[in-house]
Structure formats: C-alpha cells, structure tokens
Amino acid sequence: MSEGVAFDPRQVRLAKLNHLREQGIDPYRPTKFSVDHLSREIVEGYEQLVGRRVSVAGRIMAIRTHGRAAFVDLYDSQGRIQCHLTADRLGAPRFQILDDLDLGDVLGVQGEVFKTRRGEVTIQVDAMDVLAKSLRDLPDKRHGLRDVDLRYRQRYVDLLVNPEVRETFRLRSDTIEYLRQFFNARGFMEVETPVLLTLAGGTEARPFVTHHNALDLSLSLRIAMELHLKRLIVGGFDKVYEIGRVFRNEGVSTRHNPEFTMLELYQAYTDYEGIMRLVEDMLSGVVAALKHQLAVTYQGHRIDFTPPYTRVDLVERLREKTGVVWAEIKTDGDAQALARRLGIPVDASSPRAQVMDKVVAVTVEPDLVQPTFLWHHPVDISPLAKRDPDHPDLTERFELFVAGREIANAFSELNDPLDQRERFREQQRQRLAGNTEAHPFDEDFLVALEHGMPPTGGLGVGIDRLVMLLTDSPSIRDVMLFPTMRPLE
C-alpha cells in the first residue's frame, strides 16, 4: 500500500469478491440453500445426531486457520455452531476459498456431527457454498457496537453483534404472543380498525396529518383505537381487542416515540373494577410465563407483580404531596400559578386540565414504583370516562403505574350520549382556547352511542413500556426495532 493512502476495508472485501467471481463463484447467485438443522438443535441434540450428516447456514463470526485445516464459527438465528474444514475433505481449491472469506460472510455447510478433543460439538464439513459476501466490516468482538445512536440507526448490525439485543426482541415477540393467547382464551375477538381517519380521537394528542389525493381529503393517522372499538361494542361484539401501531405527533424521549404499539380492548357488561382484575391476571400471567417468577428487576428496583395491586386516589394523593385541592384550581391562571409555585415549567397558554395533568405527572407518578392503580381521575381530564355516581366530579378511571411510569389506562366507558356530547363541546372550547391536543368533536361516534352502548370497560396498554419492564431496558428505543431518528446530516 502506498504511503499516505488510507486503508479501505471495503475495497479489500470488493477485491476478494472479484477474486471469487474470477474462480466462477458468485456469492450472490444462490437463490436458496437447504437447511435441515439449526445450531442449538445440533448442540442440544448431539446424542441423536452424532455421526449424522447435517446442513447448516449462518454468518461467519470467527475463522481460525491452522495450515490445511480451519475452524469456522457460524451464527444462525439460534446461536453458534463450530465447523471444521480441511483441505483433504474439501479439496485444496475449495479449501482455499477461505482466503477470500471474511467475518460477516454468509456460508452454507454440510457435514457430519462430531465432538472435538475438547468436547465441543462440531460439524466436519465436506461441502460448502458461499451464500453472500459482506462488503462491510463488523464491529470487533472486544468492543462490539457500543455507540447507542449507531445501534438504533443500524439495528441490523446491533442484532448481529449483540446477542442480548436479539433476546430482547424475541421476548417482545413472546410477550405479544402471550397476550393474544390470554385474551383469546377469555373469549375476546381480535379485530383491525382503521389507521387513516378523518378524525383522530380516543385520547388527547396531536395527530400526524396527510392528504389523500384521489379523494382530495385530509386524513390523520390514528392516535388511539378507542372510538372504533367502541363502535364494535355498539354493533354487538361483547369482547374485542386490537394490537397495533398508533401515532402521536409529540416529543421523543426515553418513554416516547412518535409511533408505538398499543393493546386496546373493550368488554361489555363490566366496569373498571372488572378491568382492574383483568389487568392483574394479565400482568402476573405474562411475568410468570416469560420470567418464571412474579418479580422482575427494573433499573435497580425489584418489582413484584403478585396481585392485588395497591390503589391510590389521584386527588387525595395530590393533596398529600402538594397541599393542593383539585377543585380549588378553577381557572387556567390558577393552574399556571400552581405550576410556577411548584417549579414545573408550562406554556403560558396551556389550559387548566393540561397543566394539572402535568402537575400530577411531576408530583405523584414518580413515587409509584410497585404496580399501582392510580384511580378516580377528575372529569376534566377524562372526557371519555363514566362519572363516579358517588362523586360526580370524578370518573371511574384508573391508570396502572409501574416504576414511576404509566403502563395502562382504563375506565368504565361513558355510554351516555348526552353527557358525551357536552364533554365534546367542552373539548372544543379548550381547542378554541389554544389546546391543540383537545379531543375533536366526533358526531359520527355520538350517533353510534345514541344507538345504545351497553355498560363497558375499556383498557389501553403500552406494549413497548411493558417490554421495557420485562427486559430491564431504560429507553423505549431499546425495545423498538427501528425507532424514529433524526436523519444524519
């Protein structure tokens, strides 16, 4: 290499690719390779497979050459298997192909299963095919891929070199599968509702807006599934649920991503008490099934999911923490003055309900470490929840908190169309006053309610935050395969 010329590993790999092609070997030509065993199956089933010929494919993660022999570590979706290659078995020309292989290349091998003198289960290779040439270096084994930003941007590399990351996403998949089985076994029906809507409702959040050219129509990505699932309850389905993506045009943090996965369900003829019991069964069940115990460690805290969970009255706990009586905060100005007194930054135009919600988030929620139902939310921050008959200013609503963060939100659903219409009107007054996240006025949903919706309990669960708890992940990006990122310059 000439002095002053920078070493370019990609060019070295391209040269090896060209050399392979000169020998009549095109790594990108094979359209398939017959795999009959995976690495873990061979290692764990050695007694049944010893002496048998197997066919395995994977990515090269180590090459150790010893003259006319070499050991190659192949990694597949289950783990690692060692392969022994010799010039005697493969023939010298085929064995020399190893000179043009690099870490990250994809290789298919066939051969007999045996154990080395050190007792390691190995494949004695008698045939091999190069299935893909990697033109980029993988991070070295000692340092790995440690740049957090790069891990999120190049998740494919993160998955290749960090086995614990692959396990996180396997557990995520197992979590969703468990939830489906749990609800299906209890008579719930899984459904799909629209993602593109003319009105994005079901919670207070700012939607993403797009335009449909053929209909010349503005549409929003859904911020919740609630209102369409309730329409199905009106239509006669008693138990429905959906697991899917929702989209909120909000900030990015360790707890928030603009798109995330929600579970929402609705059950006729029950209330928020019934949903509480359902949540306790669901969470204790998923933790026991996936962690084989009822406790997990999350960021240094031991979290015990054994039911029943503690219940904390929101208004009363706020008074205990701050001395504030919710009903005495009557105006936007009162709420903003309270936030300033507590040192909580809020926008000068923020409405009372929005400010009070933030006050609760700062003063009450962080202390809710063990699974806790925070319940009896005031009506003004719960526009879709049924009133508590004994306390008309409060609702039959709860949020489940674990490790200081909201995991679930649920309530006895408001099914009085006249009360719902008035609350929508109040939301419109807030919207006109500058609250861009106020719930839209949905006349079609009101028409559905006027056909009669039975007493119903509803629940929303943040799947990403649940998986964070189960995997001890500090950021929501750690449990999303491809989180939203600002493009690099």
Side-chain angles (χ1 to χ4, degrees):
M1 185 169 62
S2 303
E3 185 177 349
V5 178
F7 173 71
D8 187 346
R10 185 171 181 273
Q11 291 302 316
V12 173
R13 289 181 177 240
L14 282 170
K16 291 182 178 182
L17 171 62
N18 291 332
H19 190 240
L20 286 170
R21 283 175 165 164
E22 289 169 1
Q23 301 173 72
I25 301 170
D26 186 345
Y28 307 120
R29 182 179 299 163
T31 57
K32 63 180 181 178
F33 182 83
S34 179
V35 174
D36 57 26
H37 286 83
L38 295 174
S39 58
R40 187 185 305 157
E41 296 171 354
I42 297 172
V43 173
E44 295 179 354
Y46 170 75
E47 296 299 331
Q48 291 74 41
L49 293 174
V50 59
R52 285 180 53 183
R53 194 165 189 268
V54 296
S55 181
V56 176
R59 194 175 294 271
I60 299 173
M61 298 300 279
I63 302 176
R64 301 175 295 281
T65 304
H66 308 281
R68 292 171 56 82
F71 286 99
V72 172
D73 290 348
L74 287 188
Y75 279 70
D76 61 16
S77 61
Q78 286 192 347
R80 180 185 75 92
I81 187 71
Q82 179 173 263
C83 303
H84 186 229
L85 296 79
T86 66
D88 291 342
R89 281 183 177 264
L90 290 170
R94 199 70 176 167
F95 181 77
Q96 288 175 353
I97 291 173
L98 285 174
D99 294 339
D100 291 317
L101 298 184
D102 294 291
L103 304 189
D105 292 353
V106 181
L107 191 67
V109 300
Q110 295 173 321
E112 292 184 359
V113 177
F114 78 106
K115 273 187 180 180
T116 65
R117 283 180 294 178
R118 295 184 176 182
E120 181 164 357
V121 177
T122 304
I123 299 172
Q124 182 65 64
V125 176
D126 57 42
M128 70 175 183
D129 292 288
V130 185
L131 304 177
K133 179 71 181 171
S134 172
L135 301 181
R136 301 273 181 170
D137 278 355
L138 295 177
D140 67 82
K141 290 177 65 176
R142 175 174 296 180
H143 298 97
L145 184 62
R146 301 302 177 196
D147 184 310
V148 174
D149 186 78
L150 191 60
R151 285 181 52 216
Y152 299 148
R153 292 183 186 279
Q154 296 185 356
R155 181 67 85 187
Y156 43 91
V157 180
D158 189 26
L159 292 166
L160 282 175
V161 302
N162 292 322
E164 68 278 7
V165 175
R166 292 198 298 274
E167 288 306 309
T168 291
F169 289 103
R170 284 196 182 95
L171 190 141
R172 179 189 175 104
S173 178
D174 291 345
T175 299
I176 294 172
E177 178 63 21
Y178 176 88
L179 294 175
R180 283 198 165 97
Q181 293 176 4
F182 177 90
F183 290 113
N184 291 345
R186 283 157 179 76
F188 283 83
M189 181 176 72
E190 184 173 10
V191 298
E192 294 177 300
T193 59
V195 174
L196 283 172
L197 307 169
T198 53
L199 279 178
T203 189
E204 293 188 7
R206 184 180 300 178
F208 289 93
V209 179
T210 187
H211 188 79
H212 189 282
N213 293 329
L215 295 178
D216 190 23
L217 184 66
S218 289
L219 295 172
S220 298
L221 293 175
R222 67 183 178 190
I223 57 176
M225 309 158 187
E226 178 168 344
L227 300 189
H228 279 87
L229 291 173
K230 287 181 181 178
R231 286 172 168 92
L232 297 181
I233 297 293
V234 172
F237 291 118
D238 290 346
K239 295 180 177 181
V240 293
Y241 77 94
E242 182 171 7
I243 298 174
R245 287 292 221 210
V246 295
F247 309 84
R248 297 179 187 176
N249 199 347
E250 58 187 15
V252 175
S253 73
T254 57
R255 303 185 187 188
H256 298 90
N257 192 72
E259 59 173 317
F260 57 98
T261 303
M262 285 284 291
L263 158 72
E264 287 203 37
L265 68 85
Y266 293 84
Q267 178 178 346
Y269 310 113
T270 192
D271 63 0
Y272 73 143
E273 291 271 8
I275 298 297
M276 281 187 189
R277 292 189 292 272
L278 185 69
V279 169
E280 289 175 336
D281 291 344
M282 176 192 73
L283 283 182
S284 60
V286 71
V287 172
L290 300 184
K291 308 301 288 186
H292 309 295
Q293 56 183 343
L294 281 174
V296 303
T297 298
Y298 184 74
Q299 301 299 290
H301 296 284
R302 184 180 184 275
I303 310 294
D304 188 349
F305 285 92
T306 304
Y309 302 156
T310 301
R311 302 182 181 191
V312 170
D313 185 282
L314 184 151
V315 173
E316 183 59 27
R317 180 58 61 89
L318 178 66
R319 186 191 63 77
E320 292 172 1
K321 285 285 189 179
T322 66
V324 172
V325 177
W326 186 288
E328 294 178 357
I329 308 299
K330 299 182 180 300
T331 67
D332 295 349
D334 291 343
Q336 291 162 12
L338 170 63
R340 287 193 296 271
R341 178 168 67 80
L342 296 173
I344 301 172
V346 293
D347 191 274
S349 63
S350 297
R352 170 183 174 278
Q354 200 173 74
V355 174
M356 293 302 292
D357 205 29
K358 190 168 185 178
V359 168
V360 172
V362 173
T363 62
V364 174
E365 295 173 6
D367 294 335
L368 307 178
V369 176
Q370 296 301 319
T372 303
F373 292 125
L374 187 67
W375 67 341
H376 293 157
H377 293 57
V379 170
D380 50 357
I381 59 170
S382 310
L384 297 166
K386 183 171 286 190
R387 295 176 190 267
D388 184 329
D390 297 323
H391 304 90
D393 291 334
L394 304 179
T395 60
E396 292 190 345
R397 174 188 174 189
F398 72 82
E399 294 173 294
L400 175 74
F401 282 85
V402 183
R405 62 194 61 189
E406 178 195 343
I407 303 299
N409 183 30
F411 30 88
S412 302
E413 302 297 332
L414 178 59
N415 62 341
D416 179 342
L418 303 181
D419 190 354
Q420 185 66 82
R421 183 177 294 275
E422 184 52 44
R423 293 201 214 176
F424 277 172
R425 285 177 178 147
E426 173 56 32
Q427 291 288 302
Q428 289 309 105
R429 286 190 281 271
Q430 292 187 26
R431 185 179 287 270
L432 291 173
N435 182 3
T436 58
E437 296 184 357
H439 200 288
F441 194 99
D442 192 333
E443 181 64 36
D444 184 75
F445 176 66
L446 291 172
V447 170
L449 279 190
E450 289 183 357
H451 282 81
M453 185 175 81
T456 298
L459 170 70
V461 178
I463 296 296
D464 310 285
R465 292 184 181 179
L466 175 58
V467 176
M468 287 171 65
L469 287 171
L470 295 174
T471 58
D472 195 15
S473 299
S475 172
I476 195 171
R477 293 182 176 187
D478 295 327
V479 299
M480 305 184 101
L481 281 168
F482 301 103
T484 304
M485 305 286 289
R486 187 189 300 275
L488 294 172
E489 295 296 334

